[in-house]
Amino acid sequence: MELSSLNPEQRQAVRTVDGPLLILAGAGTGKTRVITSRVAYMISRGIRPRNILAVTFTNKAAREMKERVRSLVPKRRLVDQDGQAEKPTICTFHSLCARILRRHITKLGYKKNFVIYDETEQLGVVRRLLSQISLGSKKPDPYAVLSLISRWRNTNSDELIAEDQDLADLAKRLVSTYQQTLKASNAVDFDDLILLVLRLFAECPEALDECRERYRFIMVDEYQDTNNSQFELVHNLAREHRNFCVVGDDDQSIYGWRGAEVANLLDLEKHFPEVKVVKLEQNYRSTNSILEAANAVIKNNVERRQKKLWSDKGAGEPITLWEFRDDEEEAQALVEEINFNRSIKKVKWRNQAILFRTNQQSRPLETALRKAEVRYNLVGGQSFFDRREIRDFVSYLKLFLNPYDDTGLLRIANIPARGLSNATMEKLLRLSQERGCTVFTVMRDESALGQFQRRTVGSILDFVERVESFHERLNRPIAVHPAKPLKVWCTAWLDEVGLFREIRRMEKDEETAENRVRNIVDLLDSMDPDFVPADRPVEERLHRFLEHISLDRERDEDDEAGDAVTLITVHSCKGLEFPHVYIAGVEDGLIPHSRSKAEGTLDEERRLFYVAITRAQVTLTMSHCENRRKFGEMIPCHPSPFLKEIPEELVVHGNEASSEPATDEEELVFFASLKASLE
């Protein structure tokens, strides 16, 4: 097989087939290419495809690997002696275990036609169990309980340590009943898929022997992300033949909060003393300024395997560091820079990404992007404007502005509950369709209301009166706090309607309820546009606000289809790359997170920052704020201590960059680009 396109270390990793091997693959060093080339190389050496197993974490990664192997291996090598198709097994952990259980699960007392419960079905089981025990005034979040049950089942420890220890103890009490409930339904969940295979191997040695005979050459991708159960699974399979290759990077281990054990990679020699280690350090993604910053940060983690990324792409541009007054100013500046790059430097939106630590940071960023009519794609989190409480709030705004907006009316007519049931609204909608008018018109029509019971008519008329009252108040002058008239108007109707009270009543978990309330409070603080004079009617200000949070979807998209800025959490960006990266909120309390000191996870926070840095290919911009809005209040902020670990010579501060005079050549390039953008 031709390997000349690989660098020396990559070729060494591909050719080392027998015995245990650790491929220490730094960020952007081509690990997927190495894994797939290694599969193809083994097949070219005569190893039967059916004896090769490659395990990864996501279906997407598995599909990509399958496609690459298919393109590398001639079809004639993917058939057995009888001419039957024979392929290597490339799949996720859960897919592998499902295959094994389909063959052997009857040995564990299950029927062969078992079903796999998804998260919704698991939550249903947990809710039923919680309803059957006395918890007093406590109303634990079923999702949190389920998460802790999963952690408890996948740990080897006798203790389950959590931020809420009472909740952890409750989860431990429910584990046994939860498992019995699933088995009674001949169902398994995703944890069961692995745990039952481990039990199968322990109780039925013949099943383990069969799997070992089948999978004689094993590779595991993203090995630093394996938990205890996954570790035990692959070690059971590889312990005898020892043809065990793991690929990973301890510097990118960022999932400890969900059970990943970086020690699985760090301590590999304890289990395979003869393991050979190949380091992939040549990075094909980033410039050396970016890589030197990443190296400087990560070297401060003591417990790690030494490696140093480098690139032949040259130094590249220095890293830009900006400081802003608050998160609103930060968001506006980042969006202005993104649009400047697009207009003047011809950088597509899709080649730019904003990374952030917590979902709460998305609100000002999304608001600024919408205001500037910049398309964006939010990855790894729910859009701020798609959250239920925000949709309810905005529906109220649209309804008070335009009572004949059927969409908003039907959404919030009975939020909070006011006697307008689904049956009532369906009847009103049917009447409106028969009469060719809006639902609100029917609600004001006495002849139409004659078809409803007296109590229901009262509820309808009360609703109509409230909507008309707030619609009329839109044009009243507001004397108090003239700088924020829209916020004052909204606060009044929110209190009268009782939306906050309804959220707190409906949400069982107190913390979740308060987070939903705070989301609305945060939006309230951003509602009064600075460019609209304070003496203008509230109605005009509301029109402008609603315009800004709705992207213009009528623009010509001929050659811009799919062109959108990526907005993504740092945890979700691993494995991705972007030409131009902006990391927002590089502050103490965000990166590293405020919990990290108490939980002893500062090293993982540094790894998270390292992952964020190494997503950038060409330019990297980082920013922090003096103040950030949290829970409706401005909280003072300080730069992340990780920023001090980056050598000063690699960084140019935003204010310095803007104050330095441009060279003659830079001016010529700038004006040429400006002219071209206007033609």
Side-chain angles (χ1 to χ4, degrees):
M1 179 181 170
E2 177 58 45
L3 301 176
S4 60
S5 62
L6 303 179
N7 67 39
E9 291 75 24
Q10 290 175 330
R11 285 197 295 273
Q12 183 184 10
V14 167
R15 287 172 173 159
T16 305
V17 172
D18 299 311
L21 172 68
L22 166 58
I23 302 175
L24 203 56
T29 56
K31 73 177 179 65
T32 302
R33 187 181 185 192
V34 169
I35 294 171
T36 52
S37 295
R38 194 170 184 273
V39 172
Y41 180 76
M42 284 192 284
I43 294 173
S44 73
R45 279 192 53 193
I47 294 173
R48 292 186 64 179
R50 74 183 305 273
N51 293 143
I52 299 171
L53 170 65
V55 188
T56 188
F57 277 84
T58 67
N59 288 313
K60 180 182 176 182
R63 281 194 303 269
E64 182 183 352
M65 288 184 188
K66 287 178 184 177
E67 289 169 4
R68 290 201 191 186
V69 169
R70 195 178 300 121
S71 68
L72 291 171
V73 180
K75 287 185 179 179
R76 68 180 187 276
R77 292 192 176 274
L78 296 177
V79 294
D80 62 16
Q81 294 176 344
D82 299 323
Q84 299 297 311
E86 184 177 303
K87 298 177 182 178
T89 301
I90 302 175
C91 61
T92 64
F93 278 98
H94 292 118
S95 178
L96 170 66
C97 291
R99 294 183 191 199
I100 295 172
L101 289 176
R102 288 294 174 198
R103 289 178 57 83
H104 300 288
I105 199 167
T106 54
K107 298 180 176 70
L108 300 176
Y110 288 79
K111 297 175 183 177
K112 195 170 185 178
N113 63 339
F114 66 90
V115 295
I116 301 173
Y117 273 6
D118 62 19
E119 186 177 82
T120 301
E121 291 160 324
Q122 291 176 265
L123 285 169
V125 173
V126 171
R127 288 191 179 98
R128 289 199 300 275
L129 296 180
L130 290 173
S131 69
Q132 294 167 10
I133 59 178
S134 176
L135 297 170
S137 60
K138 292 184 178 180
K139 296 179 180 178
D141 177 13
Y143 183 87
V145 174
L146 178 61
S147 177
L148 287 166
I149 286 175
S150 177
R151 274 183 56 192
W152 173 242
R153 297 174 72 197
N154 281 286
T155 183
N156 289 333
S157 171
D158 292 331
E159 295 296 326
L160 178 59
I161 307 300
E163 194 171 341
D164 185 339
Q165 197 55 46
D166 289 340
L167 198 64
D169 293 339
L170 173 63
K172 286 168 63 176
R173 283 171 52 197
L174 292 176
V175 166
S176 179
T177 310
Y178 171 84
Q179 291 175 280
Q180 292 168 9
T181 303
L182 261 64
K183 187 172 183 181
S185 302
N186 198 40
V188 301
D189 63 14
F190 280 96
D191 290 328
D192 279 323
L193 289 174
I194 295 178
L195 295 172
L196 287 174
V197 169
L198 293 178
R199 187 179 141 205
L200 174 74
F201 288 169
E203 297 178 6
C204 308
E206 67 278 9
L208 175 57
D209 290 340
E210 179 186 305
C211 291
R212 284 175 174 169
E213 180 61 29
R214 169 72 186 269
Y215 304 120
R216 302 191 61 79
F217 294 86
I218 298 173
M219 283 184 283
V220 182
D221 188 22
E222 301 286 8
Y223 191 64
Q224 76 281 349
D225 293 337
T226 53
N227 61 26
N228 286 318
S229 301
Q230 292 158 341
F231 168 86
E232 191 176 343
L233 172 70
V234 292
H235 278 244
N236 264 312
L237 292 174
R239 192 172 292 123
E240 296 297 323
H241 57 65
R242 305 184 81 75
N243 298 320
F244 184 49
C245 170
V246 300
V247 186
D249 180 8
D250 52 308
D251 290 336
Q252 295 185 73
S253 178
I254 59 173
Y255 298 125
W257 51 276
R258 67 183 188 196
E261 289 283 355
V262 68
N264 292 346
L265 189 147
L266 293 174
D267 299 338
L268 191 61
E269 285 87 350
K270 291 182 180 178
H271 309 279
F272 295 90
E274 74 276 31
V275 67
K276 185 172 184 177
V277 179
V278 176
K279 294 182 183 180
L280 304 183
E281 297 173 294
Q282 182 176 357
N283 177 283
Y284 293 93
R285 175 185 298 159
S286 310
T287 64
N288 278 304
S289 291
I290 294 168
L291 297 179
E292 287 175 24
N295 289 331
V297 168
I298 202 64
K299 74 178 183 182
N300 292 286
N301 276 1
V302 178
E303 293 186 12
R304 62 182 290 264
R305 290 181 181 267
Q306 294 298 317
K307 69 188 79 67
K308 188 174 183 180
L309 297 178
W310 63 275
S311 169
D312 60 7
K313 292 181 178 293
E317 296 183 29
I319 295 165
T320 301
L321 180 62
W322 282 338
E323 179 177 343
F324 297 106
R325 182 176 62 252
D326 55 40
D327 48 355
E328 304 283 348
E329 184 179 86
E330 175 187 52
Q332 182 178 338
L334 291 180
V335 173
E336 287 174 355
E337 182 71 7
I338 284 169
N339 266 342
F340 175 84
N341 286 341
R342 183 172 182 265
S343 301
I344 304 303
K345 299 183 179 180
K346 303 302 180 185
V347 177
K348 300 283 189 183
W349 280 333
R350 62 174 168 264
N351 291 330
Q352 305 182 73
I354 304 176
L355 279 52
F356 52 93
R357 177 65 170 85
T358 68
N359 284 321
Q360 293 298 320
Q361 290 172 258
S362 77
R363 197 273 307 163
L365 294 168
E366 289 190 72
T367 301
L369 288 163
R370 287 169 179 252
K371 181 178 178 181
E373 298 184 342
V374 174
R375 294 186 193 91
Y376 67 91
N377 178 32
L378 182 71
V379 181
Q382 185 184 32
S383 169
F384 180 83
F385 294 96
D386 283 338
R387 292 168 187 168
R388 188 175 71 212
E389 64 275 13
I390 298 301
R391 281 188 174 275
D392 290 345
F393 176 72
V394 172
S395 292
Y396 263 113
L397 294 179
K398 291 180 177 178
L399 183 65
F400 291 151
L401 192 63
N402 173 23
Y404 300 98
D405 168 26
D406 278 358
T407 303
L409 186 150
L410 292 170
R411 180 180 179 90
I412 53 81
N414 209 40
I415 300 175
R418 51 172 66 91
L420 299 177
S421 66
N422 288 339
T424 298
M425 298 313 298
E426 287 171 7
K427 189 172 182 178
L428 286 167
L429 180 59
R430 188 177 66 253
L431 287 170
S432 73
Q433 291 168 342
E434 291 172 356
R435 295 170 181 232
C437 62
T438 67
V439 173
F440 194 71
T441 301
V442 173
M443 297 176 90
R444 299 177 71 222
D445 187 334
E446 291 185 11
S447 62
L449 296 185
Q451 301 183 36
F452 294 89
Q453 294 182 356
R454 181 179 298 178
R455 179 181 297 178
T456 302
V457 171
S459 298
I460 292 172
L461 293 177
D462 284 346
F463 178 74
V464 169
E465 182 182 357
R466 176 161 289 172
V467 171
E468 289 182 335
S469 172
F470 277 102
H471 177 68
E472 183 271 331
R473 290 186 221 177
L474 277 170
N475 288 298
R476 290 185 191 174
I478 297 179
V480 184
H481 303 302
K484 295 274 188 182
L486 198 49
K487 178 181 178 181
V488 172
W489 174 81
C490 285
T491 302
W493 72 254
L494 277 167
D495 186 57
E496 188 170 325
V497 167
L499 189 57
F500 289 164
R501 292 192 297 274
E502 177 71 359
I503 290 172
R504 292 182 174 112
R505 184 183 72 82
M506 292 296 293
E507 196 65 61
K508 292 182 179 179
D509 180 67
E510 184 178 343
E511 184 178 354
T512 303
E514 290 308 310
N515 284 335
R516 292 182 60 202
V517 168
R518 287 164 188 155
N519 284 335
I520 296 177
V521 171
D522 283 348
L523 187 58
L524 281 174
D525 286 318
S526 68
M527 287 183 65
D528 287 277
D530 295 335
F531 52 83
V532 180
D535 60 351
R536 303 306 298 160
V538 175
E539 183 175 15
E540 180 180 336
R541 302 177 74 84
L542 182 56
H543 267 297
R544 299 292 290 272
F545 170 74
L546 291 174
E547 285 175 6
H548 287 149
I549 65 170
S550 299
L551 283 173
D552 178 8
R553 302 188 184 277
E554 301 300 321
R555 285 174 287 173
D556 182 16
E557 299 184 10
D558 286 346
D559 65 344
E560 297 294 327
D563 188 22
V565 173
T566 297
L567 204 57
I568 188 169
T569 63
V570 182
H571 274 107
S572 298
C573 75
K574 190 159 78 75
L576 303 178
E577 59 186 26
F578 308 93
H580 306 278
V581 168
Y582 306 84
I583 309 176
V586 187
E587 297 152 17
D588 197 6
L590 287 175
I591 305 177
H593 197 276
S594 55
R595 293 193 303 263
S596 61
K597 292 177 184 177
E599 296 177 354
T601 56
L602 193 62
D603 279 7
E604 181 158 323
E605 291 291 312
R606 187 178 279 109
R607 293 195 291 267
L608 193 61
F609 187 44
Y610 170 84
V611 166
I613 292 172
T614 53
R615 298 312 96 195
Q617 295 173 288
V618 181
T619 68
L620 174 63
T621 300
M622 298 185 286
S623 59
H624 60 88
C625 300
E626 295 176 356
N627 301 280
R628 185 169 295 276
R629 188 169 298 282
K630 190 175 183 182
F631 307 150
E633 298 180 11
M634 279 295 186
I635 306 298
C637 302
H638 303 284
S640 168
F642 295 156
L643 290 173
K644 296 178 181 177
E645 299 173 358
I646 299 176
E648 188 63 32
E649 63 269 18
L650 298 177
V651 178
V652 58
H653 294 269
N655 53 346
E656 293 175 5
S658 61
S659 62
E660 291 178 0
T663 65
D664 292 342
E665 184 179 353
E666 288 172 334
E667 287 182 352
L668 287 172
V669 171
F670 174 81
F671 286 113
S673 300
L674 180 60
K675 182 181 178 182
S677 70
L678 297 174
E679 291 177 348

